[in-house]
């Protein structure tokens, strides 16, 4: 495992030195998601539960954790997605991280960053005015 200067001085890239040390000392690899994030467990937290953590494949962005792994990380289930044979339903979309601040962010019609005209208001809405 190589450590870069960004990892030494920046918490936002993959993992801090403390996390890497804890991973080396007590970490048991549990699995990996489709984005390349690697999940570990080992030791106990302050409530006596098994400690769980992730080393991101890129910037540390919590929304990059898919729903199944999110549930496992927060102790909502004891079975990791790597251990269960989960098949998504036909209507389920693939997980996307938060796109805010990127070119793929949601920009509704009429916003500053979307030149399309805002839809006209229908008759079921009355704008508030201070005189009324």
């Amino acid at each position: 495992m190589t450590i870069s200067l960004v990892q030494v001085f920046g918490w936002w890239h993959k993992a801090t030195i403390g996390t890497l040390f804890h991973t080396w000392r007590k970490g048991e690899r549990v699995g990996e998601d489709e984005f390349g994030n690697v999940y570990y467990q080992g030791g106990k937290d302050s409530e006596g539960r098994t400690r769980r953590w992730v080393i991101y494949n890129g910037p540390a962005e919590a929304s990059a954790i898919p729903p199944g792994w999110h549930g496992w990380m927060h102790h909502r289930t004891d079975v990791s997605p790597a251990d269960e044979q989960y098949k998504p339903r036909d209507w389920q979309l693939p997980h996307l991280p938060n796109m805010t601040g990127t070119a793929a962010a949601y920009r509704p019609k009429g916003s500053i960053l979307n030149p399309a005209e805002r839809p006209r208001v229908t008759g079921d809405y009355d704008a508030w005015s201070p005189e009324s």
Side-chain angles (χ1 to χ4, degrees):
M1 179 184 315
T2 60
I3 299 174
S4 67
L5 278 177
V6 175
Q7 285 179 276
V8 172
F9 296 106
W11 56 265
W12 58 87
H13 187 74
K14 293 191 179 190
T16 62
I17 292 297
T19 302
L20 293 173
F21 181 71
H22 188 76
T23 302
W24 170 74
R25 244 179 81 225
K26 295 186 178 181
E28 171 195 337
R29 184 183 167 122
V30 175
E32 185 173 332
D33 65 21
E34 63 267 24
F35 302 114
N37 301 323
V38 183
Y39 299 87
Y40 294 90
Q41 68 180 1
K44 298 288 181 186
D45 65 10
S46 61
E47 297 177 9
R49 300 176 301 188
T50 303
R51 185 169 178 234
R52 297 172 178 175
W53 66 96
V54 59
I55 295 187
Y56 294 96
N57 180 22
E61 172 57 48
S63 71
I65 297 176
W69 283 106
H70 181 272
W72 178 82
M73 290 274 298
H74 292 276
H75 297 275
R76 296 215 164 97
T77 179
D78 288 331
V79 180
S80 75
D83 294 337
E84 71 177 345
Q85 300 303 317
Y86 176 75
K87 301 268 191 258
R89 311 267 181 167
D90 294 337
W91 48 265
Q92 287 179 300
L93 297 175
H95 176 72
L96 292 175
N98 186 347
M99 294 292 156
T100 302
T102 70
Y106 174 66
R107 296 180 173 100
K109 292 179 182 176
S111 74
I112 293 172
L113 297 173
N114 187 344
E117 187 175 326
R118 185 177 181 173
R120 296 315 257 158
V121 177
T122 60
D124 63 345
Y125 171 79
D126 292 323
W128 177 84
S129 68
E131 294 81 33
S132 59

